[in-house]
Amino acid sequence: MDGACFRETLRTRRRWPDVMAVWKKDVHIEEERHVRANDREYNERFNYADNRIKTAKYNVFTFLPINLFEQFQRFANAYFLVLLILQLIPEISSLSWFTTIVPLVLVLTITAVKDATDDYFRHKSDQQVNTRQSQVLIKGKLQNEKWMNVRVGDIIKLENNQFVAADLLLLSSSEPYGLCYIETAELDGETNLKVRQALTVTSDLGDDAMKLADFNGEVICEPPNNKLDKFTGTLYWKDNKYPLDNEKLLLRGCVLRNTEWCFGLVIFAGLQTKLMQNCGGTKFKRTSIDKLMNTLVLWIFGFLICMGIILAIGNTIWEQSVGSNFWAYLQWKQLTINAVFSGFLTFWSYVIILNTVVPISLYVSVEVLRLGHSYFINWDRRMYYSRKDTPAEARTTTLNEELGQVEFIFSDKTGTLTQNIMVFNKCSINGKTYGDVYDESGHKVDITEKTPCVDFSFNPLMDRKFRYHDSSLVEAIKLEEPLVQDFFRLLALCHTVMPEERNEGELVYQAQSPDEGALVTAARNFGFVFRSRTPETITLYEMGQAVTYQLLAILDFNNVRKRMSVIVRNPKGQLKLYSKGADTIVFDRLDPSNEELMFTTSEHLNEFAGEGLRTLALAYKDLDEDVFDEWMKKLLFASTTLDNREEKLGDLYEEIEQGMMLLGATAIEDKLQEGVPETIACLTLANIKIWVLTGDKLETAMNIGYSCNMLRDDMNEVFIISGHTMLEVQQELRTAKERIVGPSREKFSSGLDTEKTELYSSDSVFEETIIAEYALIINGHSLAHALEADLEQILVDVACLCKTVICCRVTPLQKALVVELIKRHKRAVTLAIGDGANDVSMIKTAHIGVGISGQEGMQAVLASDYSFAQFRFLHRLLLVHGRWSYHRMCNFLCYFFYKNFAFTLVHFWYGFLCGFSAQTVYDQWFITLFNIVYTSLPVLAMGLFDQDVNEQYSLRYPNLYRPGQLNQLFNKRKFFTCTLQGVCTSFILFFIPYGAFMTAVRDDGAHISDQQAFAVTIATSLVIVVSIQIGLDTNYWTAVNHFFIWGSLAVYFAILFALHSDGIFTIFPNQFPYIGTARNSLNQKIVWLVILLTTVVCIMPMVAVRFIKADLYPTQTDKVRLLQQATRRQGPQEQNLRRVRRTSSRRSAYAFAHQQGYGELITSGKNMKVPTSSTSTYPLSSPTRGPADTSLGKNRRANNATNAAETTSTTSGFRRESVQNQEVTVEDFEDR
């Protein structure tokens, strides 16, 4: 729960005031922070935030007012409250106030209970975090305190694998030189370890409680902010001052790793920590249909006022011309004799009578439907992940139909698209590939969980979790093939991994990058076990024999070199250089004699890359002693020079790394979650744009893009935005835009913000980008400039013209800002999906937040609206549950408005024939029961169970999702259409019986046209018509539908006869005075003929219109439904998405998600507990820090022969193949 985010969090940009709340505890704005260690009295003067967190919205005292305020933001609730007040006035009310207050209180209560339940769980999770224990130094002793009791200025102790409780200044640790290792997965999504180092003066404090208690240093630093990678401050202690930076700070949300203990001084606590600053506030999320309903309620209210005014004017005129003749007989009070005042009272009476155009039962029904749709998601076994016993969960019930309208998906990478697990998958050694499994006939077979694994029992130091299936590689090791042994020897020597042996033979590797951990683990299992290291030596166990190598130099990795090398002396005294890196980089530095092997290995690398594997090339070189001595002298001189040191070191590295001999290549699988490429391809066919927002490095993010088929070889161009200034970013974005739309059309494309339907149907720019596909990749530092007000519009333009957008090295706040940017500019429904605390901010900002219960904890799940265990379930959530929910809700609303306009407007027509007296057509019991009993269950059944097409066809034809994105099924036009149908139906319902009864007589010759018989005829016609209409609107019939429709008709007639029976009159003579009306009316043939005529005239025009429309202008849904009906006899056939495979020459995203600087750290001995020797033979190298590759992506078609480090490519025929198959199927059916 450390990563949970809060609405009370601090600052944000001025453009985003609704996403982040401003901290207002202090009257003044904090300009700098003063923190004195071990002095709570001093620090409390500044009223700094304590370490308590709060995600709950309410407490006992604020729940009722805040919740009611939120609920009455719905115009409908406020509307019914006003009606309730009017109904309490007897002079104008012809209906009982009871008919409004009961459903209104019911709706408010149900919603309040649901909100209270949600908030209870927030309180519970807050309590769980706030009551965690931490060791705080108080009066010279370590005492266990709850997290919420930790204060700024306290010194706390952390132990290995503990979460950091607040933002701490590192004082000392168990490691040499005050070093400690932290995992920042909850901040930036990266699982590789980061190093933090205390000041030398404080690291000497060690774990001595007395020394730490006497420490009274004062820190003056920056105020709380959201910059995760920046901290500036100064420590004042003992009349000296020491500069502080981000490398000395442990942030809340990090986990202490590979460090027994450390002590830290609390600088920021609670809501003022950097993690909390990066989190968006909880917003009251409402669907677009909810917002539209608010508008429609206002329109309906205006329509109601207009009808009331018309009828009030009619009453005034009628009273003056006709009604005045009856004043003497009716004995009215003198006050009410005035015709104008009578019209005024009539206006309010009709407002009450006609209020059922928006009955409150509509909102009760909507909540029931949403609850039912949520349970369908929870009960879906196909979204249940058995390995973790994790079902899908709808954590909110208010957003289900919005799932059918998503246009943009913002996804995290680590743990969301990937499993956050690196696996040694294949390799190529001396021109031979290993890793594939073949059957007895020599055919390649797919590797599954049932495929037998290689037996590593010959190696007592093996990692039991390691799985490999090709036994030929183990046989080569046992046969002692020299090149195979050198291959794994290189993997065991050339790295910066730190070993930890907790028990004898129980090795744990702490890798700076997961790639290196996978490679070293592979070498360990194949008999080359990396056991220990000192600054000068590396000890391996080679096939059970201990071998110690002298480590002479580490030529460290950086983004320019894209390789790492080590120089070692083996026990025989031979000098060896071992190197690994990007294949194109290593190939350029090979000896010419390797040309044939290089060609073969390159083919193998193409195969590996085509399977989405991350590749590295491995090479070695035998060094001459004299040459090496001379080179080391140059290196010593270069490492001590002040001018151009990094360039000179780089040149020396380049010099010795020439003429290497190729050993082979490795292929690591950054394991995607199951079904990720297929899911992305399916969602892309549904016209959903998927953006990846990740804290990972550019190369890592691009590699995952290729693995997921978001980036492909056949893309026209991949634009990389990596400028460091606003002008550079602006120029790169403009260049990209010109390349896409052309310079002459740039102005045109900036004005694309038109109505959505027109944009998609007629915009030639978008039609062009469907053919020409582009990708945009932007770095975090560039994104910071692009999000400024001056550049955000061009960023949106370029990004939306691209097929794929990947933002790398972004902070949690930047993720939320990108989501907010699209919400503001594109007015599209957004969905954010992630699994860590660094994703909480964007999850809360998006219209829909989805949390994956992954390896980074449950923070994202706790903040999400929906949760499940695997990314692949997302396409089912959207294309099945989302589309069905949207379809059902839209059909429900259209039908509900239709039936209520048909029901209510009969009173309007009757007003012209009853002297505008506010007399109702129906009796009061029919008005009360119509929406609650007679028509409630059939429409609920349709809203819960209806399917236009089944789930198999919903997944097989993703473009069926399109109508939801365009709001085609329920919009203002649809509302006018269904209300117009309702008005016409009400007109027919009233005037056909009225005209028929003008001259009709009973079978015995008596007159039939009494008011109650007239009311029964209209009411019966209405119930039958709306029942037939819902039957026409139902696409998927179940036993429940049949039972509810026919049952509702039966209940109507049962209640009708009961209300007009002798028995109920005997019990309640005043309430039920019309004895036998139903019986006397419905036993006449003419009444049934009138009901039949009315029903046919109401229904047949709509049947004819629908038939003609489906026949002449069929929608895609119509076509698929016909196809489904034609193939129904064959039984249900689930369409499994075919596995998407890559065939690509892409190898630039090599398996080396590494950071520079670790080579120097190792050779200096600062990170080792072994005393550093002062008799090192050679001075060791200092790594260079080169700029990241910022070149703009080259055009793929024109630069096929360019360096693969600048080429990003993959191919997938899935999209075109799927579209073609889909169109052929539908067209073939139409031809048949």
Side-chain angles (χ1 to χ4, degrees):
M1 180 56 203
D2 295 85
C5 304
F6 313 95
R7 74 186 50 76
E8 291 86 2
T9 47
L10 302 169
R11 300 162 181 77
T12 186
R13 299 176 180 234
R14 62 184 184 280
R15 306 189 315 278
W16 198 31
D18 57 329
V19 178
M20 300 284 288
V22 179
W23 181 263
K24 294 182 178 179
K25 186 170 182 178
D26 298 326
V27 177
H28 67 281
I29 297 175
E30 188 177 346
E31 295 182 356
E32 66 178 15
R33 172 155 294 208
H34 294 253
V35 179
R36 185 177 295 171
N38 295 311
D39 193 343
R40 284 193 174 185
E41 183 178 351
Y42 173 81
N43 297 320
E44 285 174 357
R45 300 178 190 173
F46 302 98
N47 293 322
Y48 295 142
D50 58 25
N51 208 36
R52 182 190 302 270
I53 64 170
K54 179 177 177 292
T55 62
K57 295 170 63 176
Y58 317 108
N59 59 39
V60 175
F61 302 104
T62 63
F63 173 74
L64 195 60
I66 293 178
N67 188 261
L68 286 177
F69 173 76
E70 288 179 346
Q71 291 201 58
F72 281 112
Q73 285 183 351
R74 276 185 175 176
F75 295 142
N77 287 342
Y79 164 68
F80 290 119
L81 181 63
V82 173
L83 283 177
L84 174 62
I85 296 171
L86 292 177
Q87 284 182 294
L88 296 174
I89 304 173
E91 284 79 8
I92 62 175
S93 178
S94 56
L95 294 175
S96 172
W97 58 270
F98 190 81
T99 59
T100 298
I101 192 171
V102 171
L104 177 61
V105 170
L106 182 64
V107 169
L108 296 177
T109 302
I110 291 174
T111 306
V113 169
K114 179 176 67 67
D115 292 342
T117 303
D118 292 343
D119 208 56
Y120 167 75
F121 287 110
R122 294 192 195 102
H123 275 287
K124 193 174 180 180
S125 60
D126 289 348
Q127 187 72 5
Q128 181 183 357
V129 173
N130 289 329
T131 56
R132 284 182 179 176
Q133 296 293 312
S134 184
Q135 298 183 65
V136 182
L137 188 66
I138 300 176
K139 297 180 180 180
K141 295 182 179 180
L142 286 172
Q143 299 180 13
N144 284 331
E145 286 282 350
K146 296 177 180 178
W147 275 23
M148 61 183 179
N149 296 329
V150 172
R151 297 289 183 270
V152 171
D154 287 351
I155 293 178
I156 65 177
K157 179 182 180 181
L158 295 176
E159 295 181 346
N160 196 29
N161 297 323
Q162 279 189 346
F163 277 101
V164 179
D167 289 354
L168 309 177
L169 172 65
L170 180 61
L171 297 179
S172 61
S173 77
S174 58
E175 302 302 300
Y177 302 96
L179 293 174
C180 76
Y181 301 92
I182 57 172
E183 181 182 285
T184 60
E186 296 209 3
L187 297 178
D188 54 20
E190 295 186 359
T191 55
N192 49 299
L193 300 183
K194 309 288 194 307
V195 177
R196 295 293 183 263
Q197 184 173 12
L199 291 168
T200 304
V201 291
T202 62
S203 64
D204 294 338
L205 297 173
D207 60 348
D208 190 325
M210 296 306 298
K211 289 183 179 179
L212 289 165
D214 292 338
F215 176 68
N216 61 350
E218 182 174 352
V219 174
I220 300 178
C221 64
E222 61 188 21
N225 58 71
N226 53 41
K227 297 177 181 177
L228 294 173
D229 58 350
K230 184 180 179 183
F231 175 78
T232 55
T234 305
L235 171 64
Y236 294 85
W237 189 38
K238 295 182 178 178
D239 299 326
N240 292 313
K241 58 182 181 178
Y242 308 93
L244 304 175
D245 56 25
N246 199 53
E247 299 302 312
K248 297 171 178 59
L249 205 65
L250 308 182
L251 300 183
R252 178 175 182 141
C254 298
V255 181
L256 190 68
R257 299 291 192 200
N258 201 24
T259 307
E260 290 183 18
W261 53 262
C262 73
F263 284 86
L265 172 67
V266 178
I267 304 296
F268 303 118
L271 299 176
Q272 294 182 334
T273 58
K274 289 182 179 286
L275 175 64
M276 300 300 111
Q277 298 282 298
N278 271 280
C279 297
T282 301
K283 295 184 66 177
F284 180 59
K285 293 185 178 181
R286 300 165 63 198
T287 66
S288 57
I289 287 183
D290 266 340
K291 296 173 185 176
L292 177 60
M293 289 276 289
N294 270 347
T295 303
L296 296 182
V297 167
L298 289 177
W299 288 4
I300 292 172
F301 184 71
F303 178 62
L304 178 61
I305 296 297
C306 291
M307 288 193 296
I309 292 173
I310 292 171
L311 293 170
I313 293 172
N315 177 266
T316 302
I317 297 172
W318 190 89
E319 286 290 344
Q320 287 180 339
S321 59
V322 181
S324 57
N325 299 329
F326 301 94
W327 288 353
Y329 304 102
L330 297 176
Q331 299 181 359
W332 285 2
K333 295 179 181 179
Q334 189 66 30
L335 183 63
T336 61
I337 292 177
N338 185 291
V340 175
F341 187 72
S342 174
F344 174 76
L345 294 180
T346 301
F347 167 78
W348 293 110
S349 297
Y350 272 111
V351 167
I352 294 172
I353 291 172
L354 299 174
N355 80 84
T356 50
V357 286
V358 185
I360 197 163
S361 60
L362 169 65
Y363 290 91
V364 178
S365 301
V366 166
E367 292 299 327
V368 171
L369 290 183
R370 287 174 171 167
L371 183 64
H373 296 164
S374 299
Y375 277 113
F376 291 154
I377 293 173
N378 296 343
W379 293 338
D380 191 343
R381 292 186 178 182
R382 300 184 185 221
M383 296 173 67
Y384 170 73
Y385 191 55
S386 57
R387 293 182 186 176
K388 293 186 178 180
D389 190 26
T390 306
E393 180 183 5
R395 298 173 57 83
T396 181
T397 60
T398 58
L399 302 175
N400 296 319
E401 65 269 19
E402 198 100 308
L403 290 171
Q405 298 180 274
V406 173
E407 291 187 57
F408 287 86
I409 292 176
F410 300 92
S411 175
D412 179 40
K413 181 195 77 68
T414 306
T416 303
L417 299 178
T418 65
Q419 298 182 32
N420 209 8
I421 298 172
M422 300 289 182
V423 176
F424 181 82
N425 192 293
K426 295 181 180 181
C427 62
S428 171
I429 304 176
N430 195 30
K432 182 180 179 181
T433 60
Y434 297 91
D436 291 324
V437 178
Y438 299 87
D439 58 18
E440 296 176 355
S441 59
H443 294 101
K444 183 178 175 181
V445 297
D446 291 333
I447 295 176
T448 65
E449 292 184 1
K450 296 181 180 179
T451 305
C453 295
V454 172
D455 181 14
F456 290 107
S457 58
F458 70 91
N459 181 3
L461 295 175
M462 67 177 179
D463 184 347
R464 300 185 183 280
K465 297 179 182 178
F466 183 82
R467 295 171 61 88
Y468 200 75
H469 303 279
D470 185 3
S471 58
S472 63
L473 187 54
V474 175
E475 293 173 3
I477 285 286
K478 292 180 178 179
L479 292 174
E480 299 183 356
E481 294 185 12
L483 291 177
V484 175
Q485 290 191 335
D486 271 345
F487 181 90
F488 287 107
R489 186 176 291 115
L490 185 152
L491 294 182
L493 290 171
C494 186
H495 56 79
T496 58
V497 173
M498 295 297 297
E500 182 180 356
E501 192 163 1
R502 296 168 182 172
N503 299 311
E504 181 66 26
E506 185 183 341
L507 279 171
V508 176
Y509 291 144
Q510 299 292 345
Q512 191 268 335
S513 70
D515 318 89
E516 283 209 318
L519 294 173
V520 177
T521 300
R524 168 184 174 180
N525 278 267
F526 284 101
F528 287 76
V529 183
F530 168 55
R531 194 71 180 269
S532 64
R533 80 184 319 150
T534 70
E536 292 91 14
T537 64
I538 297 176
T539 300
L540 307 183
Y541 270 61
E542 298 182 357
M543 303 304 291
Q545 300 296 320
V547 181
T548 299
Y549 293 83
Q550 185 180 358
L551 178 62
L552 303 178
I554 295 180
L555 284 58
D556 205 359
F557 164 89
N558 66 34
N559 284 334
V560 175
R561 286 170 40 75
K562 297 186 179 181
R563 64 191 182 277
M564 172 190 176
S565 301
V566 294
I567 300 176
V568 297
R569 188 189 302 275
N570 63 21
K572 297 180 181 180
Q574 298 171 328
L575 289 174
K576 295 275 189 178
L577 180 145
Y578 293 110
S579 182
K580 65 180 182 184
D583 53 284
T584 50
I585 301 295
V586 173
F587 286 176
D588 289 342
R589 290 154 181 81
L590 294 178
D591 188 85
S593 62
N594 287 263
E595 185 173 351
E596 184 175 349
L597 178 58
M598 183 175 65
F599 178 78
T600 305
T601 305
S602 182
E603 289 184 338
H604 295 163
L605 285 167
N606 288 338
E607 294 176 9
F608 298 157
E611 297 175 21
L613 303 177
R614 305 175 64 172
T615 58
L616 278 176
L618 310 183
Y620 73 98
K621 180 181 180 181
D622 293 319
L623 297 178
D624 180 78
E625 194 78 40
D626 295 335
V627 173
F628 176 70
D629 288 342
E630 185 65 26
W631 180 83
M632 285 301 298
K633 292 177 182 178
K634 296 178 184 178
L635 184 67
L636 176 61
F637 176 78
S639 61
T640 56
T641 188
L642 298 179
D643 298 329
N644 301 321
R645 179 188 300 175
E646 293 181 355
E647 292 182 10
K648 292 178 180 178
L649 287 174
D651 292 340
L652 285 171
Y653 294 166
E654 183 78 19
E655 175 186 327
I656 202 166
E657 289 173 332
Q658 298 295 325
M660 296 187 292
M661 304 298 293
L662 183 62
L663 270 175
T666 62
I668 290 177
E669 182 180 6
D670 185 359
K671 290 185 74 69
L672 293 175
Q673 289 192 12
E674 183 182 349
V676 166
E678 293 84 358
T679 299
I680 290 176
C682 187
L683 294 174
T684 302
L685 289 176
N687 199 49
I688 298 175
K689 298 177 178 63
I690 302 176
W691 293 18
V692 176
L693 311 179
T694 177
D696 280 345
K697 298 175 67 175
L698 174 68
E699 288 287 350
T700 308
M702 289 180 67
N703 185 68
I704 293 300
Y706 279 93
S707 298
C708 298
N709 287 289
M710 297 177 67
L711 300 175
R712 300 195 309 275
D713 261 343
D714 58 356
M715 283 184 163
N716 293 63
E717 193 161 355
V718 176
F719 301 103
I720 300 178
I721 309 299
S722 54
H724 289 270
T725 66
M726 181 176 290
L727 289 177
E728 290 176 357
V729 174
Q730 183 180 37
Q731 184 58 43
E732 289 177 355
L733 287 172
R734 284 182 175 175
T735 302
K737 189 172 181 179
E738 289 175 0
R739 297 286 289 273
I740 297 173
V741 302
S744 63
R745 302 179 61 186
E746 184 175 355
K747 291 185 179 180
F748 170 76
S749 65
S750 64
L752 291 177
D753 215 3
T754 59
E755 193 68 27
K756 281 189 179 181
T757 305
E758 296 177 6
L759 180 149
Y760 283 104
S761 61
S762 61
D763 197 320
S764 59
V765 172
F766 275 82
E767 291 175 357
E768 178 180 303
T769 57
I770 292 174
I771 300 171
E773 295 183 350
Y774 300 89
L776 177 70
I777 302 172
I778 184 167
N779 263 318
H781 55 79
S782 304
L783 184 62
H785 296 300
L787 289 171
E788 294 292 340
D790 296 339
L791 296 185
E792 64 178 19
Q793 183 59 56
I794 189 172
L795 172 64
V796 171
D797 291 343
V798 174
C800 291
L801 289 170
C802 292
K803 187 79 172 177
T804 296
V805 178
I806 298 176
C807 302
C808 53
R809 283 298 187 196
V810 293
T811 65
L813 180 59
Q814 283 180 324
K815 292 184 177 184
L817 287 171
V818 170
V819 176
E820 181 66 22
L821 183 71
I822 295 301
K823 286 174 61 178
R824 190 169 64 247
H825 284 271
K826 302 304 294 182
R827 299 192 297 275
V829 177
T830 58
L831 181 148
I833 180 170
D835 74 320
N838 58 320
D839 305 314
V840 168
S841 185
M842 73 169 179
I843 284 174
K844 288 188 173 183
T845 304
H847 292 96
I848 302 168
V850 177
I852 291 183
S853 50
Q855 298 189 14
E856 295 182 23
M858 298 293 289
Q859 291 80 8
V861 171
L862 293 172
S864 66
D865 305 304
Y866 300 89
S867 67
F868 40 71
Q870 293 280 288
F871 180 85
R872 60 189 165 96
F873 297 146
L874 181 62
H875 83 294
R876 185 171 179 84
L877 180 71
L878 299 184
L879 301 189
V880 178
H881 291 286
R883 203 183 69 81
W884 277 353
S885 294
Y886 175 71
H887 164 80
R888 291 163 177 167
M889 186 62 71
C890 292
N891 281 6
F892 165 82
L893 291 174
C894 288
Y895 173 78
F896 215 101
F897 282 119
Y898 155 75
K899 79 178 178 68
N900 281 286
F901 269 76
F903 162 63
T904 304
L905 264 65
V906 172
H907 296 300
F908 179 78
W909 309 120
Y910 186 53
F912 290 92
L913 300 174
C914 69
F916 306 96
S917 61
Q919 170 68 41
T920 59
V921 176
Y922 320 109
D923 68 81
Q924 184 166 317
W925 286 103
F926 181 81
I927 294 174
T928 303
L929 298 175
F930 177 76
N931 280 308
I932 297 176
V933 177
Y934 300 151
T935 60
S936 61
L937 294 181
V939 72
L940 283 178
M942 181 185 72
L944 285 172
F945 304 115
D946 197 38
Q947 303 174 11
D948 52 351
V949 298
N950 63 29
E951 60 182 288
Q952 288 82 15
Y953 281 84
S954 295
L955 296 173
R956 187 177 300 178
Y957 298 99
N959 57 347
L960 293 176
Y961 191 79
R962 194 81 174 104
Q965 295 173 325
L966 298 178
N967 291 317
Q968 288 181 345
L969 299 188
F970 186 74
N971 49 40
K972 294 171 184 175
R973 182 177 178 180
K974 278 282 187 180
F975 169 74
F976 283 121
T977 302
C978 63
T979 53
L980 180 61
Q981 183 188 356
V983 171
C984 295
T985 300
S986 70
F987 185 87
I988 295 169
L989 283 170
F990 179 79
F991 282 103
I992 286 184
Y994 178 78
F997 283 6
M998 288 285 290
T999 57
V1001 293
R1002 296 167 56 87
D1003 294 342
D1004 58 5
H1007 206 276
I1008 199 173
S1009 58
D1010 62 276
Q1011 199 268 344
Q1012 283 304 309
F1014 183 58
V1016 168
T1017 305
I1018 294 179
T1020 304
S1021 301
L1022 173 64
V1023 172
I1024 293 174
V1025 166
V1026 297
S1027 297
I1028 294 175
Q1029 183 64 47
I1030 199 170
L1032 294 174
D1033 290 343
T1034 301
N1035 298 297
Y1036 181 72
W1037 284 84
T1038 66
V1040 177
N1041 294 83
H1042 283 288
F1043 178 76
F1044 282 173
I1045 291 177
W1046 303 118
S1048 295
L1049 284 171
V1051 168
Y1052 164 72
F1053 284 109
I1055 293 177
L1056 177 65
F1057 285 107
L1059 294 180
H1060 294 135
S1061 65
D1062 298 341
I1064 200 167
F1065 171 76
T1066 304
I1067 302 172
F1068 305 105
N1070 294 329
Q1071 281 77 23
F1072 305 98
Y1074 306 109
I1075 306 171
T1077 300
R1079 183 172 62 252
N1080 293 333
S1081 299
L1082 297 179
N1083 64 5
Q1084 299 297 310
K1085 296 176 183 177
I1086 188 171
V1087 172
W1088 285 106
L1089 287 173
V1090 170
I1091 293 173
L1092 177 62
L1093 177 62
T1094 304
T1095 303
V1096 170
V1097 175
C1098 287
I1099 295 298
M1100 287 309 296
M1102 183 52 60
V1103 173
V1105 168
R1106 291 190 180 185
F1107 177 81
I1108 294 171
K1109 186 177 179 182
D1111 192 56
L1112 299 180
Y1113 307 103
T1115 63
Q1116 184 69 19
T1117 304
D1118 295 331
K1119 298 176 185 178
V1120 175
R1121 189 186 300 121
L1122 290 173
L1123 181 63
Q1124 175 183 316
Q1125 293 170 355
T1127 57
R1128 184 170 293 169
R1129 292 181 180 179
Q1130 302 175 9
Q1133 299 176 358
E1134 182 174 359
Q1135 175 73 12
N1136 293 321
L1137 291 173
R1138 86 181 49 178
R1139 179 168 177 81
V1140 180
R1141 297 186 66 86
R1142 295 177 56 234
T1143 54
S1144 168
S1145 59
R1146 152 86 179 178
R1147 299 195 302 274
S1148 62
Y1150 49 92
F1152 217 44
H1154 204 76
Q1155 289 184 347
Q1156 64 188 83
Y1158 269 73
E1160 183 180 22
L1161 191 64
I1162 289 172
T1163 55
S1164 67
K1166 289 184 176 181
N1167 63 335
M1168 300 179 191
K1169 299 180 181 179
V1170 180
T1172 306
S1173 172
S1174 59
T1175 59
S1176 177
T1177 309
Y1178 296 101
L1180 299 173
S1181 62
S1182 174
T1184 62
R1185 181 176 295 272
D1189 183 11
T1190 58
S1191 61
L1192 199 66
K1194 302 295 185 288
N1195 189 295
R1196 299 298 180 252
R1197 295 176 177 173
N1199 295 275
N1200 289 333
T1202 56
N1203 191 313
E1206 299 175 353
T1207 307
T1208 55
S1209 58
T1210 181
T1211 58
S1212 167
F1214 184 86
R1215 178 180 180 273
R1216 291 176 174 80
E1217 184 177 346
S1218 298
V1219 173
Q1220 184 180 9
N1221 288 344
Q1222 173 180 312
E1223 292 175 352
V1224 169
T1225 304
V1226 174
E1227 296 301 329
D1228 285 350
F1229 174 76
E1230 289 177 335
D1231 292 341
R1232 292 198 299 270

